[in-house]
Amino acid sequence: MASEEAATGSSQGTGAYRRLLEEIRWGALAPGTRLRETDLAERFSMSRTPIREAIRQLEADGLVVHLPRQGATIRTLDYPEIMELYEMRVVLEGTAARMAAQAASMIELAELRTLNEELAQTSEAARLYELNRQFHLTLFDAAKNRFLIRAISGLQKTMMILGPTTLIAPDRAAEAVKEHYAILDALEARDGDAAEALMRNHLAGAHRARIRVLRQRERPVEDL
């Protein structure tokens, strides 16, 4: 009986963790937001124990910090940290593109092209995010390096703090699709140098779009 209750609690904790991740990803839980166990337990219709478990996991991920007189709070990234995050993305994902140019199977390359074709036909924000996410995950898998994938996964969790995908910014989705096609051409040509350079260019575009979004978010009311 006790083992069943433990399993149920763990399952609820996992569910709460996933729901909180989604809310962080889409900006519903913005940086600086306090995570009150009682409020979340009521909203998610569960006890405080799985909520506490989920918050501990978010803390382990580096998405939550404990602040004096506030408690568990969604972490806030300062400007230098955002710059450093994108610098690491360029290094890690550029390397993944180079490796994928040598290691990707024809099936993986075909899947990448299919995902990008679907992305080109999509305008809904959640679908844009998911297709773009699947494109990049497929490319990382094609690099065939588990340690690299693990490092990128940790970085991506921290990126969630920044909020919704930059593909919702004007013209960014269309630009990203073109950049993906260029990367694909390099992968299919087995040109590692070009694939890495094009991925770096792609991430530079994402970085510029992110900075524009953050500046608009922080603009004083009188300037709007």
Side-chain angles (χ1 to χ4, degrees):
M1 190 70 175
S3 61
E4 290 180 4
E5 290 177 356
T8 299
S10 178
S11 176
Q12 287 186 330
T14 300
Y17 170 69
R18 289 174 177 169
R19 287 183 66 176
L20 289 170
L21 275 181
E22 284 300 303
E23 294 195 6
I24 293 169
R25 179 180 290 123
W26 290 105
L29 288 175
T33 302
R34 292 179 62 184
L35 298 179
R36 297 179 175 87
E37 290 181 12
T38 52
D39 293 346
L40 291 170
E42 182 178 352
R43 185 151 65 86
F44 291 177
S45 299
M46 58 181 65
S47 71
R48 292 174 60 180
T49 299
I51 297 297
R52 193 175 302 121
E53 180 184 328
I55 291 174
R56 280 199 297 263
Q57 182 59 55
L58 291 171
E59 187 175 7
D61 291 338
L63 303 181
V64 165
V65 293
H66 281 267
L67 300 179
R69 296 184 299 278
Q70 286 187 263
T73 305
I74 302 299
R75 182 182 171 193
T76 299
L77 297 175
D78 58 27
Y79 185 78
E81 286 178 311
I82 295 171
M83 297 297 289
E84 290 163 10
L85 268 177
Y86 274 92
E87 286 172 0
M88 287 306 301
R89 280 196 75 188
V90 165
V91 171
L92 294 175
E93 297 190 35
T95 300
R98 172 183 288 277
M99 290 181 170
Q102 303 304 317
S105 69
M106 296 305 294
I107 291 174
E108 287 168 325
L109 293 175
E111 177 63 12
L112 284 168
R113 191 163 289 278
T114 296
L115 287 166
N116 204 44
E117 288 169 355
E118 290 183 34
L119 186 61
Q121 302 299 319
T122 303
S123 59
E124 197 267 319
R127 188 63 178 154
L128 282 170
Y129 165 79
E130 185 58 28
L131 286 169
N132 186 61
R133 175 174 172 272
Q134 289 300 325
F135 179 92
H136 284 267
L137 288 176
T138 301
L139 190 150
F140 303 152
D141 286 339
K144 308 293 194 298
N145 189 300
R146 286 171 289 181
F147 294 97
L148 178 63
I149 292 171
R150 193 177 305 163
I152 292 172
S153 178
L155 193 71
Q156 287 180 326
K157 280 192 175 177
T158 305
M159 293 288 297
M160 288 183 189
I161 300 172
L162 299 178
T165 174
T166 57
L167 296 184
I168 62 175
D171 301 323
R172 180 56 198 151
E175 292 171 356
V177 166
K178 291 179 182 178
E179 291 159 8
H180 285 174
Y181 276 131
I183 293 168
L184 271 167
D185 289 343
L187 294 176
E188 291 169 349
R190 304 298 181 181
D191 188 336
D193 290 342
E196 180 174 6
L198 289 163
M199 179 60 82
R200 284 173 171 265
N201 178 68
H202 174 56
L203 295 174
H207 192 179
R208 289 191 296 270
R210 177 65 68 187
I211 294 301
R212 287 197 297 270
V213 169
L214 291 174
R215 282 177 178 166
Q216 289 172 356
R217 189 178 300 171
E218 295 170 1
R219 187 180 299 170
V221 173
E222 59 268 24
D223 290 345
L224 296 178

